[in-house]
Amino acid sequence: MHSSRRPAPRPLRRPVTPAAAPAAAPSGAWEQAAAAATVPGRDAQGGHVHVQVLCWPIVPTAWALLQQALQLVQASRLSVWRDSGADGAARSWVGESAPQLSQPFRDTAAEESSVAALLARTPLQFSVGLATAVEASTPETVAVARRQALTDCLAAYGESLRVPGRSPARRLLVAGDANTELEQDLETALKRARLRLDDSDALRGLRLQRLSETPAPLPLEAAGVVARAVAEHLRGGESVHAILDVAVAKLVRVPPELARGGKPRQPRRR
């Protein structure tokens, strides 16, 4: 005779920490939000380079689609989920820039390509501004170059809104740990971009919003990981391909340094 008793169900494996799940956002909270990220670094010749990235949705549901796609991936990979932060292991540059987007692929060879695939499938657009400075540059000249990079990003964003059916963002998200100088530079760049554009309506309603959430919202991760990818490429990193390719394909304007796969040219010393 067969026993009528059934074996106890085996417990499901769960993520190591609840914080690994993507930050929930109220319905519609990110619909009209753009995000800005900045990464200072060095180019292959050792010169200073400042990478500024602006990221925005081209359909109202873009950020919600990215969040849903990430949640589906997380659900499908619960059995192989690993949290590298738990054992003190160092994260890759992708993991540092986008801890939520990279979480399901942490410590795997597919980490960068998988994050790139998530970004590629999301209806987003990017702009990149590059500022270079020589060793002898003063803080004032560095700030001027940085503001110019921000202004270039915003001008490209304004151009993208000329496409019929596009809706302007109402908020520009910046990381909560951004310094006051960067925030002031953003405000200055906004004013300059409004003056430069023939039709400034697209930027007139854009307001800065500083966020200090942990983990950061997905829009900030998307902007941050692209900025880091550009910085790693300019530094001469050999493992930067997938995210950079996706970013270039979604750029409004492609800087010459990225179009030719080269490095930013250093300004002449006077």
Short mmCIF file of all heavy atoms in Angstrom, two decimals, residues 122-175:
data_model
loop_
_atom_site.label_atom_id
_atom_site.label_comp_id
_atom_site.label_asym_id
_atom_site.label_seq_id
_atom_site.Cartn_x
_atom_site.Cartn_y
_atom_site.Cartn_z
N THR A 122 14.89 49.01 -22.80
CA THR A 122 14.11 50.07 -22.18
C THR A 122 14.12 51.31 -23.07
O THR A 122 15.19 51.72 -23.52
CB THR A 122 14.69 50.43 -20.80
OG1 THR A 122 14.80 49.23 -20.01
CG2 THR A 122 13.78 51.41 -20.07
N PRO A 123 12.96 51.90 -23.33
CA PRO A 123 12.91 53.10 -24.20
C PRO A 123 13.47 54.33 -23.50
O PRO A 123 12.73 55.17 -22.97
CB PRO A 123 11.41 53.24 -24.52
CG PRO A 123 10.71 52.54 -23.41
CD PRO A 123 11.60 51.43 -22.96
N LEU A 124 14.79 54.41 -23.50
CA LEU A 124 15.51 55.52 -22.88
C LEU A 124 16.35 56.23 -23.92
O LEU A 124 16.62 55.70 -24.99
CB LEU A 124 16.44 55.01 -21.77
CG LEU A 124 15.83 54.22 -20.62
CD1 LEU A 124 16.94 53.67 -19.73
CD2 LEU A 124 14.87 55.08 -19.81
N GLN A 125 16.79 57.43 -23.57
CA GLN A 125 17.73 58.15 -24.41
C GLN A 125 18.75 58.83 -23.50
O GLN A 125 18.47 59.13 -22.33
CB GLN A 125 17.02 59.19 -25.28
CG GLN A 125 17.81 59.57 -26.52
CD GLN A 125 16.91 60.11 -27.63
OE1 GLN A 125 15.81 60.58 -27.38
NE2 GLN A 125 17.41 60.05 -28.86
N PHE A 126 19.96 59.03 -24.04
CA PHE A 126 21.05 59.57 -23.25
C PHE A 126 21.71 60.74 -23.96
O PHE A 126 21.64 60.87 -25.18
CB PHE A 126 22.14 58.50 -23.00
CG PHE A 126 21.68 57.32 -22.22
CD1 PHE A 126 21.14 56.21 -22.86
CD2 PHE A 126 21.82 57.28 -20.84
CE1 PHE A 126 20.72 55.10 -22.14
CE2 PHE A 126 21.41 56.18 -20.12
CZ PHE A 126 20.86 55.09 -20.76
N SER A 127 22.37 61.58 -23.17
CA SER A 127 23.30 62.57 -23.72
C SER A 127 24.55 62.52 -22.85
O SER A 127 24.48 62.24 -21.65
CB SER A 127 22.69 63.97 -23.74
OG SER A 127 22.33 64.39 -22.44
N VAL A 128 25.69 62.79 -23.48
CA VAL A 128 26.98 62.74 -22.79
C VAL A 128 27.72 64.05 -23.02
O VAL A 128 27.78 64.55 -24.15
CB VAL A 128 27.84 61.56 -23.29
CG1 VAL A 128 29.26 61.65 -22.72
CG2 VAL A 128 27.22 60.23 -22.89
N GLY A 129 28.28 64.59 -21.95
CA GLY A 129 29.15 65.75 -22.04
C GLY A 129 30.50 65.41 -21.46
O GLY A 129 30.58 64.77 -20.40
N LEU A 130 31.58 65.80 -22.15
CA LEU A 130 32.93 65.49 -21.69
C LEU A 130 33.69 66.79 -21.45
O LEU A 130 33.69 67.69 -22.30
CB LEU A 130 33.68 64.65 -22.72
CG LEU A 130 33.05 63.31 -23.09
CD1 LEU A 130 33.85 62.64 -24.20
CD2 LEU A 130 32.95 62.40 -21.87
N ALA A 131 34.34 66.89 -20.30
CA ALA A 131 35.16 68.05 -19.96
C ALA A 131 36.55 67.55 -19.61
O ALA A 131 36.70 66.64 -18.79
CB ALA A 131 34.56 68.82 -18.78
N THR A 132 37.56 68.11 -20.25
CA THR A 132 38.94 67.73 -19.95
C THR A 132 39.66 68.90 -19.31
O THR A 132 39.29 70.06 -19.48
CB THR A 132 39.68 67.31 -21.23
OG1 THR A 132 39.67 68.41 -22.16
CG2 THR A 132 39.00 66.11 -21.88
N ALA A 133 40.71 68.59 -18.56
CA ALA A 133 41.48 69.63 -17.88
C ALA A 133 42.92 69.17 -17.74
O ALA A 133 43.18 67.98 -17.51
CB ALA A 133 40.88 69.93 -16.51
N VAL A 134 43.84 70.09 -17.86
CA VAL A 134 45.26 69.77 -17.67
C VAL A 134 45.59 69.82 -16.19
O VAL A 134 44.82 70.32 -15.37
CB VAL A 134 46.15 70.76 -18.46
CG1 VAL A 134 45.90 70.64 -19.94
CG2 VAL A 134 45.90 72.18 -17.99
N GLU A 135 46.76 69.29 -15.84
CA GLU A 135 47.15 69.22 -14.43
C GLU A 135 47.17 70.59 -13.77
O GLU A 135 46.86 70.74 -12.60
CB GLU A 135 48.53 68.57 -14.32
CG GLU A 135 48.56 67.10 -14.70
CD GLU A 135 47.86 66.23 -13.68
OE1 GLU A 135 47.58 66.72 -12.56
OE2 GLU A 135 47.59 65.06 -13.99
N ALA A 136 47.57 71.63 -14.54
CA ALA A 136 47.72 72.96 -13.96
C ALA A 136 46.41 73.73 -13.88
O ALA A 136 46.40 74.89 -13.49
CB ALA A 136 48.73 73.76 -14.78
N SER A 137 45.30 73.10 -14.25
CA SER A 137 44.02 73.81 -14.24
C SER A 137 43.64 74.22 -12.82
O SER A 137 43.90 73.52 -11.84
CB SER A 137 42.93 72.91 -14.82
OG SER A 137 43.19 72.60 -16.16
N THR A 138 43.01 75.37 -12.72
CA THR A 138 42.52 75.85 -11.42
C THR A 138 41.12 75.31 -11.17
O THR A 138 40.44 74.87 -12.10
CB THR A 138 42.48 77.39 -11.42
OG1 THR A 138 41.49 77.81 -12.38
CG2 THR A 138 43.83 77.97 -11.77
N PRO A 139 40.65 75.33 -9.93
CA PRO A 139 39.28 74.90 -9.66
C PRO A 139 38.25 75.66 -10.49
O PRO A 139 37.23 75.11 -10.89
CB PRO A 139 39.12 75.19 -8.16
CG PRO A 139 40.50 75.10 -7.61
CD PRO A 139 41.39 75.65 -8.68
N GLU A 140 38.54 76.93 -10.77
CA GLU A 140 37.60 77.72 -11.55
C GLU A 140 37.51 77.22 -12.99
O GLU A 140 36.41 77.10 -13.55
CB GLU A 140 38.02 79.20 -11.54
CG GLU A 140 37.86 79.90 -10.21
CD GLU A 140 38.94 79.52 -9.20
OE1 GLU A 140 39.98 78.94 -9.63
OE2 GLU A 140 38.76 79.79 -8.00
N THR A 141 38.66 76.91 -13.61
CA THR A 141 38.63 76.43 -14.99
C THR A 141 38.00 75.04 -15.07
O THR A 141 37.32 74.72 -16.05
CB THR A 141 40.05 76.39 -15.58
OG1 THR A 141 40.89 75.54 -14.78
CG2 THR A 141 40.65 77.78 -15.63
N VAL A 142 38.23 74.22 -14.05
CA VAL A 142 37.59 72.89 -14.03
C VAL A 142 36.08 73.04 -13.93
O VAL A 142 35.32 72.35 -14.61
CB VAL A 142 38.13 72.05 -12.86
CG1 VAL A 142 37.33 70.77 -12.70
CG2 VAL A 142 39.61 71.71 -13.07
N ALA A 143 35.62 73.97 -13.08
CA ALA A 143 34.18 74.19 -12.92
C ALA A 143 33.56 74.69 -14.22
O ALA A 143 32.45 74.28 -14.59
CB ALA A 143 33.92 75.19 -11.80
N VAL A 144 34.27 75.57 -14.95
CA VAL A 144 33.77 76.07 -16.22
C VAL A 144 33.62 74.93 -17.22
O VAL A 144 32.60 74.81 -17.92
CB VAL A 144 34.71 77.16 -16.79
CG1 VAL A 144 34.34 77.48 -18.23
CG2 VAL A 144 34.64 78.41 -15.93
N ALA A 145 34.62 74.06 -17.29
CA ALA A 145 34.56 72.91 -18.21
C ALA A 145 33.42 71.97 -17.84
O ALA A 145 32.71 71.46 -18.70
CB ALA A 145 35.89 72.17 -18.21
N ARG A 146 33.24 71.77 -16.53
CA ARG A 146 32.18 70.88 -16.07
C ARG A 146 30.81 71.45 -16.41
O ARG A 146 29.91 70.72 -16.85
CB ARG A 146 32.32 70.66 -14.57
CG ARG A 146 31.39 69.61 -13.99
CD ARG A 146 31.78 69.30 -12.57
NE ARG A 146 31.74 70.49 -11.72
CZ ARG A 146 32.49 70.66 -10.63
NH1 ARG A 146 33.35 69.73 -10.27
NH2 ARG A 146 32.37 71.76 -9.90
N ARG A 147 30.64 72.75 -16.21
CA ARG A 147 29.36 73.37 -16.54
C ARG A 147 29.09 73.31 -18.04
O ARG A 147 27.94 73.15 -18.47
CB ARG A 147 29.33 74.82 -16.05
CG ARG A 147 29.17 74.95 -14.54
CD ARG A 147 28.81 76.37 -14.15
NE ARG A 147 29.90 77.30 -14.39
CZ ARG A 147 30.83 77.60 -13.49
NH1 ARG A 147 30.82 77.05 -12.30
NH2 ARG A 147 31.79 78.48 -13.78
N GLN A 148 30.15 73.41 -18.85
CA GLN A 148 29.96 73.32 -20.29
C GLN A 148 29.49 71.92 -20.67
O GLN A 148 28.63 71.75 -21.54
CB GLN A 148 31.27 73.64 -21.02
CG GLN A 148 31.15 73.63 -22.54
CD GLN A 148 30.12 74.61 -23.04
OE1 GLN A 148 30.17 75.79 -22.68
NE2 GLN A 148 29.17 74.16 -23.85
N ALA A 149 30.05 70.89 -20.03
CA ALA A 149 29.62 69.51 -20.30
C ALA A 149 28.15 69.32 -19.94
O ALA A 149 27.40 68.67 -20.67
CB ALA A 149 30.50 68.52 -19.52
N LEU A 150 27.74 69.89 -18.80
CA LEU A 150 26.34 69.81 -18.40
C LEU A 150 25.43 70.55 -19.38
O LEU A 150 24.35 70.07 -19.73
CB LEU A 150 26.17 70.39 -16.99
CG LEU A 150 26.77 69.59 -15.85
CD1 LEU A 150 26.89 70.44 -14.60
CD2 LEU A 150 25.94 68.35 -15.57
N THR A 151 25.87 71.71 -19.82
CA THR A 151 25.09 72.48 -20.78
C THR A 151 24.92 71.72 -22.09
O THR A 151 23.84 71.71 -22.69
CB THR A 151 25.74 73.85 -21.04
OG1 THR A 151 25.90 74.55 -19.80
CG2 THR A 151 24.89 74.70 -21.97
N ASP A 152 25.99 71.06 -22.54
CA ASP A 152 25.91 70.26 -23.76
C ASP A 152 24.90 69.13 -23.61
O ASP A 152 24.12 68.84 -24.53
CB ASP A 152 27.29 69.68 -24.11
CG ASP A 152 28.27 70.75 -24.54
OD1 ASP A 152 27.83 71.86 -24.89
OD2 ASP A 152 29.49 70.46 -24.53
N CYS A 153 24.89 68.49 -22.44
CA CYS A 153 23.93 67.41 -22.18
C CYS A 153 22.50 67.92 -22.27
O CYS A 153 21.63 67.30 -22.89
CB CYS A 153 24.17 66.80 -20.80
SG CYS A 153 25.50 65.61 -20.71
N LEU A 154 22.24 69.04 -21.63
CA LEU A 154 20.89 69.59 -21.59
C LEU A 154 20.45 70.08 -22.97
O LEU A 154 19.27 69.96 -23.33
CB LEU A 154 20.82 70.72 -20.57
CG LEU A 154 20.91 70.26 -19.11
CD1 LEU A 154 21.23 71.43 -18.19
CD2 LEU A 154 19.62 69.58 -18.67
N ALA A 155 21.37 70.64 -23.74
CA ALA A 155 21.03 71.08 -25.08
C ALA A 155 20.63 69.90 -25.95
O ALA A 155 19.67 69.97 -26.73
CB ALA A 155 22.20 71.84 -25.71
N ALA A 156 21.36 68.79 -25.83
CA ALA A 156 21.01 67.58 -26.59
C ALA A 156 19.64 67.05 -26.14
O ALA A 156 18.84 66.60 -26.97
CB ALA A 156 22.08 66.51 -26.40
N TYR A 157 19.38 67.11 -24.84
CA TYR A 157 18.07 66.70 -24.34
C TYR A 157 16.97 67.56 -24.95
O TYR A 157 15.93 67.05 -25.37
CB TYR A 157 18.06 66.80 -22.82
CG TYR A 157 16.69 66.79 -22.20
CD1 TYR A 157 15.92 65.63 -22.21
CD2 TYR A 157 16.16 67.94 -21.62
CE1 TYR A 157 14.64 65.63 -21.65
CE2 TYR A 157 14.90 67.94 -21.05
CZ TYR A 157 14.15 66.79 -21.07
OH TYR A 157 12.89 66.78 -20.53
N GLY A 158 17.19 68.86 -25.01
CA GLY A 158 16.19 69.75 -25.60
C GLY A 158 15.93 69.41 -27.06
O GLY A 158 14.78 69.45 -27.52
N GLU A 159 16.98 69.06 -27.79
CA GLU A 159 16.81 68.67 -29.19
C GLU A 159 15.93 67.43 -29.31
O GLU A 159 15.10 67.32 -30.22
CB GLU A 159 18.18 68.39 -29.82
CG GLU A 159 19.01 69.63 -30.07
CD GLU A 159 20.33 69.27 -30.72
OE1 GLU A 159 20.49 68.12 -31.17
OE2 GLU A 159 21.21 70.15 -30.77
N SER A 160 16.13 66.48 -28.40
CA SER A 160 15.38 65.21 -28.49
C SER A 160 13.88 65.44 -28.34
O SER A 160 13.07 64.65 -28.85
CB SER A 160 15.86 64.23 -27.43
OG SER A 160 15.39 64.58 -26.14
N LEU A 161 13.50 66.50 -27.64
CA LEU A 161 12.09 66.76 -27.40
C LEU A 161 11.38 67.36 -28.60
O LEU A 161 10.16 67.55 -28.57
CB LEU A 161 11.93 67.68 -26.19
CG LEU A 161 12.37 67.07 -24.84
CD1 LEU A 161 12.21 68.09 -23.73
CD2 LEU A 161 11.58 65.81 -24.52
N ARG A 162 12.12 67.66 -29.65
CA ARG A 162 11.49 68.15 -30.87
C ARG A 162 10.80 67.02 -31.65
O ARG A 162 10.05 67.29 -32.58
CB ARG A 162 12.53 68.82 -31.75
CG ARG A 162 13.13 70.08 -31.11
CD ARG A 162 14.28 70.62 -31.93
NE ARG A 162 14.92 71.75 -31.26
CZ ARG A 162 16.06 72.30 -31.65
NH1 ARG A 162 16.69 71.82 -32.72
NH2 ARG A 162 16.58 73.31 -30.98
N VAL A 163 11.09 65.78 -31.28
CA VAL A 163 10.41 64.65 -31.92
C VAL A 163 8.94 64.69 -31.53
O VAL A 163 8.61 64.79 -30.34
CB VAL A 163 11.05 63.32 -31.47
CG1 VAL A 163 10.30 62.13 -32.07
CG2 VAL A 163 12.52 63.27 -31.86
N PRO A 164 8.03 64.63 -32.49
CA PRO A 164 6.59 64.68 -32.16
C PRO A 164 6.20 63.60 -31.17
O PRO A 164 6.64 62.45 -31.26
CB PRO A 164 5.92 64.45 -33.52
CG PRO A 164 6.93 64.90 -34.52
CD PRO A 164 8.27 64.54 -33.95
N GLY A 165 5.38 63.98 -30.20
CA GLY A 165 4.88 63.04 -29.22
C GLY A 165 5.71 62.92 -27.96
O GLY A 165 5.28 62.29 -26.99
N ARG A 166 6.90 63.54 -27.94
CA ARG A 166 7.75 63.48 -26.75
C ARG A 166 7.24 64.45 -25.69
O ARG A 166 6.83 65.57 -26.00
CB ARG A 166 9.20 63.82 -27.10
CG ARG A 166 9.87 62.84 -28.05
CD ARG A 166 10.31 61.58 -27.32
NE ARG A 166 10.93 60.65 -28.24
CZ ARG A 166 12.22 60.62 -28.55
NH1 ARG A 166 13.03 61.53 -28.03
NH2 ARG A 166 12.70 59.72 -29.37
N SER A 167 7.30 64.01 -24.44
CA SER A 167 6.88 64.87 -23.31
C SER A 167 8.11 65.24 -22.50
O SER A 167 8.96 64.39 -22.21
CB SER A 167 5.88 64.12 -22.41
OG SER A 167 4.71 63.80 -23.14
N PRO A 168 8.24 66.50 -22.11
CA PRO A 168 9.40 66.91 -21.33
C PRO A 168 9.35 66.37 -19.91
O PRO A 168 8.29 66.17 -19.33
CB PRO A 168 9.30 68.44 -21.33
CG PRO A 168 7.84 68.72 -21.50
CD PRO A 168 7.33 67.63 -22.39
N ALA A 169 10.53 66.13 -19.35
CA ALA A 169 10.62 65.72 -17.96
C ALA A 169 10.35 66.92 -17.06
O ALA A 169 10.59 68.06 -17.46
CB ALA A 169 12.00 65.14 -17.67
N ARG A 170 9.85 66.65 -15.89
CA ARG A 170 9.57 67.72 -14.94
C ARG A 170 10.59 67.76 -13.81
O ARG A 170 10.72 68.78 -13.13
CB ARG A 170 8.16 67.53 -14.34
CG ARG A 170 7.05 67.69 -15.36
CD ARG A 170 7.13 69.05 -16.03
NE ARG A 170 6.13 69.22 -17.08
CZ ARG A 170 6.15 70.20 -17.97
NH1 ARG A 170 7.12 71.10 -17.94
NH2 ARG A 170 5.22 70.28 -18.89
N ARG A 171 11.31 66.66 -13.62
CA ARG A 171 12.31 66.62 -12.54
C ARG A 171 13.60 66.06 -13.09
O ARG A 171 13.61 65.17 -13.94
CB ARG A 171 11.82 65.73 -11.39
CG ARG A 171 10.64 66.29 -10.63
CD ARG A 171 10.19 65.31 -9.58
NE ARG A 171 9.70 64.07 -10.17
CZ ARG A 171 9.74 62.88 -9.58
NH1 ARG A 171 10.28 62.77 -8.38
NH2 ARG A 171 9.25 61.82 -10.17
N LEU A 172 14.70 66.57 -12.58
CA LEU A 172 16.02 66.07 -12.90
C LEU A 172 16.62 65.50 -11.62
O LEU A 172 16.98 66.26 -10.71
CB LEU A 172 16.90 67.18 -13.48
CG LEU A 172 18.35 66.79 -13.82
CD1 LEU A 172 18.39 65.62 -14.79
CD2 LEU A 172 19.09 68.00 -14.39
N LEU A 173 16.69 64.20 -11.52
CA LEU A 173 17.17 63.53 -10.32
C LEU A 173 18.69 63.56 -10.25
O LEU A 173 19.37 63.28 -11.24
CB LEU A 173 16.69 62.08 -10.28
CG LEU A 173 15.19 61.82 -10.50
CD1 LEU A 173 14.89 60.34 -10.41
CD2 LEU A 173 14.35 62.60 -9.49
N VAL A 174 19.22 63.89 -9.08
CA VAL A 174 20.66 63.82 -8.83
C VAL A 174 20.87 63.07 -7.53
O VAL A 174 20.01 63.07 -6.65
CB VAL A 174 21.30 65.22 -8.77
CG1 VAL A 174 21.21 65.91 -10.11
CG2 VAL A 174 20.65 66.06 -7.68
N ALA A 175 22.03 62.41 -7.41
CA ALA A 175 22.32 61.61 -6.23
C ALA A 175 22.41 62.49 -4.99
O ALA A 175 22.90 63.63 -5.05
CB ALA A 175 23.62 60.84 -6.42
#
